[in-house]
Amino acid sequence: MTEIVVHGIAFSPYVRSVIMALQIKGVPYRVQLIELGAMPGGLGSAEHRQLHPFGRVPILDDGGFRIFETQAILRYLDARFPQAPLQPTEPQALGRMCQAIGILDCYMFSQSIRPIGAERVVKPALMGAAPDEAVVAGALPATAICISALERVLGSDPFLAGEALSMADLMIAPQLHLLSPVPEVRAMLEGTRLLAWFERMLAHPAMAATPPPAELGLPVSLRQLQAA
Ligand SMILES: N[C@@H](CCC(=O)N[C@@H](CS)C(=O)NCC(=O)O)C(=O)O
């Protein structure tokens, strides 16, 4: 088999989604970390942009075939390694999966995860810098809309697309994990079915096997989340 390489940065929830999929499918892989900072080969450098023209991660390299955009990577992996399928075939389940991924990619990442995650989690933990609270406050209304939209997609099922784990769960759970230490987000999740889903996802072997860097201080269980 050709070597599968995931190019990424350590705390990226999108990169984690790809690694989780590879683990669930039992496919061997190697992670190639892209350094943070202005250096040759670093995030956003000319070398990085040769792999990803928008300077983002993850990028998957399968024996020279390169692909970026997490949901494209996951669909590619699902076709390439059909064991443990990650996409439902039933029309409504498929629609729900795609809708949840659309909520993340079109609204939630840019309007909620990126600003709040950067200010309240990444900046203080990795750079020792104080959060810009105006940025956080500005992102909270969109966060509430995203959580309520995902709650509606989930309904009363165990997973976002219905009875079975899908790409949508692998994409949303690591993102929510990044925001889970944020008190305002925890308050929004309180009493929701999405919180029960998140607890199930935190206990999933692929989540447990891909912990974010310890410096971020993310909870590993709901109990730890509630105690924080
Ligand atoms: N739509 C892209 C989003 C990827 C993305 O934004 N990744 C973040 C890390 S979670 C990133 O590369 N951030 C680096 C930056 O913004 O400079 C995907 O699905 O892969």
Side-chain angles (χ1 to χ4, degrees):
M1 196 200 295
T2 55
E3 187 183 39
I4 303 263
V5 182
V6 182
H7 296 265
I9 55 178
F11 59 82
S12 161
Y14 277 117
V15 171
R16 191 177 181 193
S17 304
V18 171
I19 295 173
M20 284 169 67
L22 288 163
Q23 294 214 352
I24 287 169
K25 288 176 174 292
V27 175
Y29 62 90
R30 178 168 68 83
V31 176
Q32 181 70 49
L33 285 180
I34 295 174
E35 298 293 329
L36 302 178
M39 59 188 72
L43 195 70
S45 65
E47 293 86 345
H48 177 201
R49 282 177 192 276
Q50 279 190 347
L51 298 175
H52 194 310
F54 303 98
R56 300 287 179 103
V57 291
I59 303 118
L60 183 100
D61 188 322
D62 180 5
F65 172 72
R66 287 198 193 126
I67 181 164
F68 62 85
E69 285 307 299
T70 304
Q71 63 155 309
I73 296 172
L74 295 183
R75 287 179 206 278
Y76 169 74
L77 289 175
D78 215 25
R80 169 101 162 80
F81 305 103
Q83 68 271 23
L86 294 173
Q87 298 173 87
T89 50
E90 191 277 318
Q92 290 191 3
L94 184 64
R96 285 166 62 185
M97 182 194 85
C98 295
Q99 189 177 22
I101 293 172
I103 290 168
L104 172 66
D105 282 347
C106 298
Y107 314 106
M108 193 173 182
F109 185 71
S110 58
Q111 297 177 25
S112 167
I113 307 288
R114 201 169 193 226
I116 299 181
E119 294 303 327
R120 280 284 187 81
V121 181
V122 176
K123 246 166 91 171
L126 301 188
M127 298 165 209
D132 182 336
E133 289 299 340
V135 171
V136 175
L140 288 174
T143 305
I145 295 172
C146 291
I147 286 176
S148 127
L150 289 172
E151 174 85 348
R152 274 161 55 181
V153 174
L154 178 68
S156 53
D157 286 325
F159 297 104
L160 288 165
E163 288 299 319
L165 182 83
S166 77
M167 282 171 50
D169 304 290
L170 300 193
M171 288 188 69
I172 312 279
Q175 305 276 348
L176 215 50
H177 199 185
L178 191 67
L179 293 199
S180 63
V182 177
E184 294 92 329
V185 176
R186 286 210 304 274
M188 288 175 198
L189 286 169
E190 202 53 54
T192 63
R193 290 184 301 263
L194 199 64
L195 185 61
W197 162 85
F198 181 58
E199 183 182 16
R200 272 195 302 283
M201 288 305 298
L202 274 182
H204 190 283
M207 284 286 279
T210 55
E215 309 90 272
L216 292 185
L218 302 189
V220 293
S221 68
L222 189 67
R223 187 175 301 171
Q224 198 183 338
L225 186 72
Q226 282 161 339

